[in-house]
Amino acid sequence: MSLLNQQSDSAFYYFNKVATSSKDSLQIALAYNHMADIQSDAGDYYGSQESLLTSLKYLNEQKERDHLCLTADYNELGNTSLNLKNYNAAIDFYDLALKFSKSESFKAIALNGKAVTYQKMRQYNQAIPIYQLIIDQSRKNKKEYARIVSNLAKTRWLQDPRYRAAPDLLMALQIRKNEKDEWGLNASYAHLSDFYSHSRPDSALIYAGKMYAIAQKLTSPDDELEALQKLILLSPPKDLKLYFTQYLHLSDSLQTTRNAAKNQFALIRYDAQKNKADNLRLQQDNTENKVEIIQQQIIIYSAAIVFVIIVGFLVAWSRRRKQKMEWESREYRLKTSQKVHDVVANGLYRMMTKIEHNENIEKEQLLDEIEDLYEQSRDISYEQSERLGQEFQTTIAELLTSFAGPTTKILVLGNHKDLWDKVNCRIKKVLDPILLELMINMKKHSGARNVALRFDREGEHIKIQYTDDGVGFAPHWRYGNGLTNTGNRIRDIGGRIIFDHDTPKGLKIQIYLPIA
């Protein structure tokens, strides 16, 4: 764990201690607000929202002394909702922050957040007037002024691609250089890279590289990933593999770190609640013991024996609870690892296959796929369900044909809409990674020139027959992790997979999946 993570954990621990021991409602609310900031910085946005809503329970809107904390809570709720793309909720929270704010500078911060939200919603006519309202008020604060100038220029350009945003963007960049505002420079480089992406790709590439460098200096992994997306879009083909590799490594590392932080915050809060309950129980026992001492000396020994038994029970229960939490943590890591393999590793391999066999692939399409993959990798920690498209047969066809190339032909038979209409959504959800693993295994190991997949319905099952003319199974062939996971998935939903080991050449596989 890095020094920064250790410091965050320690700060969270002490704020949680204040929240669970203080008698002052405002002090408790402020402690939960600081805990929410730490959780948000670590990427635990849902945990941050939970802490902020808890903070609000200890505040009274009728008390003026609580208004500053109310403003901070609602503004941070707006930020977390914006990060989670819950834009309507973000607007409502920013309005509440403005309602309780007495500071003009804080109002400007909340208004800027509200304008950014409208920009994300593509409601530029709502965002631009807000920026125009606060730009003159911010002139005394050069950093704030540069931020609003840059955001306003980008919003006007997004509204009208013909708008000449370069002068304002470059002016904001120069102010940030003069002020040595590194976070501001990071945003300026991002805006300039986007602005020049179509008209001057070389300049856009330079600014993307500068953004990547300063994001690394600021140790901001989200900004590093955004910069890598821009570099993948703008770089020549010879550099794509390097940036893909960096993107995969950073995405995996960021996900692991955020999962660990989320678990650590939960453990800290759990331990504090347990200690508080134990202390209350001990206080109650001590009170009862004092009463019993006055009544009769014999009862003292009896109470002591009971107390020892209770403590022994609590220790044993605590150990069992700890073992259970460690087991659940291992299960969670295994589950997350499998999801990272399915979503990130297989998704990237699929995109690299497209690049390998399609020299004319559109970079905008590639960026959309990368951004979608990034969003899926972020969603892993929040256990969000994947959504299947309405036309499932199109999804299957695109998946399978994406592995076709100059030396590999893919033939798909029986993949009709009627075949999938009555198939359970859970079965469809599991089928996608199953087919993806088969095709990746074919691409990596078989050397096949012709691959055929046939889909049929047999009673209450969907039958999938896979055939290729590759090298087939080696004499002492054993399942790898990918096919082992595939077999487990099929068995989990009541299906079965059959490998034909008697085929003299190539590979034949039959898969049976229940419809319901």
Side-chain angles (χ1 to χ4, degrees), residues 83 119-120 154 183 186-195 204 207-213 215-216 220-234 243 246-247 250-251 254 367 370-371 374-375 378:
N83 286 325
Q119 182 201 96
K120 297 292 185 182
K154 180 180 178 179
W183 284 104
N186 179 72
S188 279
Y189 291 144
H191 291 175
L192 286 163
S193 180
D194 291 339
F195 176 74
Y207 285 120
K210 290 184 176 182
M211 180 188 178
Y212 183 52
Q216 289 179 305
S220 174
D222 284 323
D223 290 318
E224 287 184 52
L225 287 174
E226 181 183 347
L228 283 170
Q229 289 182 34
K230 298 180 189 301
L231 289 170
I232 292 170
L233 173 65
L234 298 165
Y243 291 132
Q246 292 173 333
Y247 182 94
L250 180 58
S251 178
L254 176 60
L367 181 60
I370 293 171
E371 183 174 1
Y374 171 58
E375 293 297 333
R378 287 184 64 190

Side-chain angles (χ1 to χ4, degrees), residues 261-272:
K262 182 179 179 182
N263 291 337
Q264 184 66 13
F265 295 145
L267 286 172
I268 290 172
R269 297 183 76 163
Y270 167 80
D271 288 340

Side-chain angles (χ1 to χ4, degrees), residues 383-426:
E383 300 288 343
Q384 293 182 349
S385 300
E386 298 176 9
R387 296 185 177 181
L388 295 168
Q390 294 182 350
E391 301 295 338
F392 186 64
Q393 75 278 7
T394 302
T395 301
I396 293 297
E398 290 179 351
L399 167 62
L400 297 175
T401 56
S402 68
F403 285 85
T407 60
T408 305
K409 295 181 179 179
I410 308 294
L411 177 63
V412 182
L413 303 172
N415 180 33
H416 305 302
K417 183 178 183 299
D418 295 342
L419 179 70
W420 304 109
D421 282 346
K422 296 183 179 180
V423 177
N424 184 276
C425 288
R426 182 182 175 218

Side-chain angles (χ1 to χ4, degrees), residues 204-401:
L205 178 60
I206 292 172
Y207 285 120
K210 290 184 176 182
M211 180 188 178
Y212 183 52
I214 201 165
Q216 289 179 305
K217 182 178 179 181
L218 293 169
T219 61
S220 174
D222 284 323
D223 290 318
E224 287 184 52
L225 287 174
E226 181 183 347
L228 283 170
Q229 289 182 34
K230 298 180 189 301
L231 289 170
I232 292 170
L233 173 65
L234 298 165
S235 298
K238 64 183 180 65
D239 295 331
L240 287 180
K241 185 174 182 181
L242 172 62
Y243 291 132
F244 263 122
T245 303
Q246 292 173 333
Y247 182 94
L248 174 60
H249 174 74
L250 180 58
S251 178
D252 186 30
S253 176
L254 176 60
Q255 191 61 53
T256 301
T257 300
R258 284 182 169 169
N259 286 337
K262 182 179 179 182
N263 291 337
Q264 184 66 13
F265 295 145
L267 286 172
I268 290 172
R269 297 183 76 163
Y270 167 80
D271 288 340
Q273 290 170 359
K274 179 179 177 298
N275 289 335
K276 184 177 181 180
D278 289 345
N279 289 334
L280 290 173
R281 188 179 291 107
L282 290 172
Q283 290 174 11
Q284 182 179 358
D285 290 341
N286 290 335
T287 301
E288 292 175 353
N289 288 338
K290 289 178 181 179
V291 173
E292 291 172 353
I293 289 172
I294 298 173
Q295 293 176 348
Q296 194 174 13
Q297 187 70 27
I298 299 175
I299 298 178
I300 295 176
Y301 298 106
S302 301
I305 294 173
V306 172
F307 178 74
V308 170
I309 293 174
I310 291 174
V311 172
F313 171 78
L314 288 174
V315 171
W317 176 83
S318 178
R319 288 177 178 174
R320 287 197 297 271
R321 177 64 177 170
K322 184 177 181 181
Q323 290 173 351
K324 181 180 178 182
M325 291 182 67
E326 290 176 350
W327 179 83
E328 289 176 348
S329 178
R330 287 195 297 271
E331 287 292 308
Y332 181 79
R333 288 195 296 270
L334 288 173
K335 184 178 179 182
T336 301
S337 176
Q338 184 177 358
K339 286 187 177 182
V340 170
H341 176 270
D342 289 344
V343 174
V344 180
N346 284 351
L348 278 174
Y349 189 88
R350 181 178 172 185
M351 280 190 283
M352 292 174 72
T353 300
K354 282 186 178 182
I355 296 172
E356 179 183 355
H357 298 305
N358 188 352
E359 296 180 354
N360 298 321
I361 187 170
E362 295 184 4
K363 289 190 175 181
E364 290 292 343
Q365 177 188 350
L366 179 61
L367 181 60
D368 289 342
E369 293 188 14
I370 293 171
E371 183 174 1
D372 181 61
L373 182 61
Y374 171 58
E375 293 297 333
Q376 291 181 56
S377 69
R378 287 184 64 190
D379 291 343
I380 289 173
S381 62
Y382 303 122
E383 300 288 343
Q384 293 182 349
S385 300
E386 298 176 9
R387 296 185 177 181
L388 295 168
Q390 294 182 350
E391 301 295 338
F392 186 64
Q393 75 278 7
T394 302
T395 301
I396 293 297
E398 290 179 351
L399 167 62
L400 297 175
T401 56

Side-chain angles (χ1 to χ4, degrees), residues 107-177:
K107 285 182 179 179
I109 292 172
L111 285 169
N112 183 75
K114 186 175 179 180
V116 170
T117 305
Y118 279 129
Q119 182 201 96
K120 297 292 185 182
M121 298 169 71
R122 299 182 180 180
Q123 295 182 16
Y124 307 121
N125 290 333
Q126 299 278 3
I128 291 174
I130 296 176
Y131 285 130
Q132 291 174 329
L133 174 67
I134 60 178
I135 192 168
D136 289 332
Q137 301 173 5
S138 65
R139 291 183 182 276
K140 293 181 180 179
N141 186 331
K142 292 184 179 180
K143 289 184 180 180
E144 186 67 20
Y145 178 67
R147 178 170 68 172
I148 297 171
V149 167
S150 187
N151 286 342
L152 176 58
K154 180 180 178 179
T155 305
R156 283 174 167 168
W157 169 65
L158 290 172
Q159 182 186 47
D160 181 7
R162 296 171 299 177
Y163 177 76
R164 295 181 65 254
D168 287 340
L169 292 175
L170 292 171
M171 179 182 72
L173 174 65
Q174 189 58 50
I175 293 173
R176 286 164 163 171
K177 285 182 178 179

Side-chain angles (χ1 to χ4, degrees), residues 59-64 66-67 70 74 96 99-100:
L59 298 173
N60 187 343
E61 295 183 3
Q62 306 305 319
K63 294 182 178 180
E64 187 171 348
D66 291 351
H67 284 187
L70 281 166
Y74 284 128
L96 287 169
K99 175 182 175 181
F100 294 102

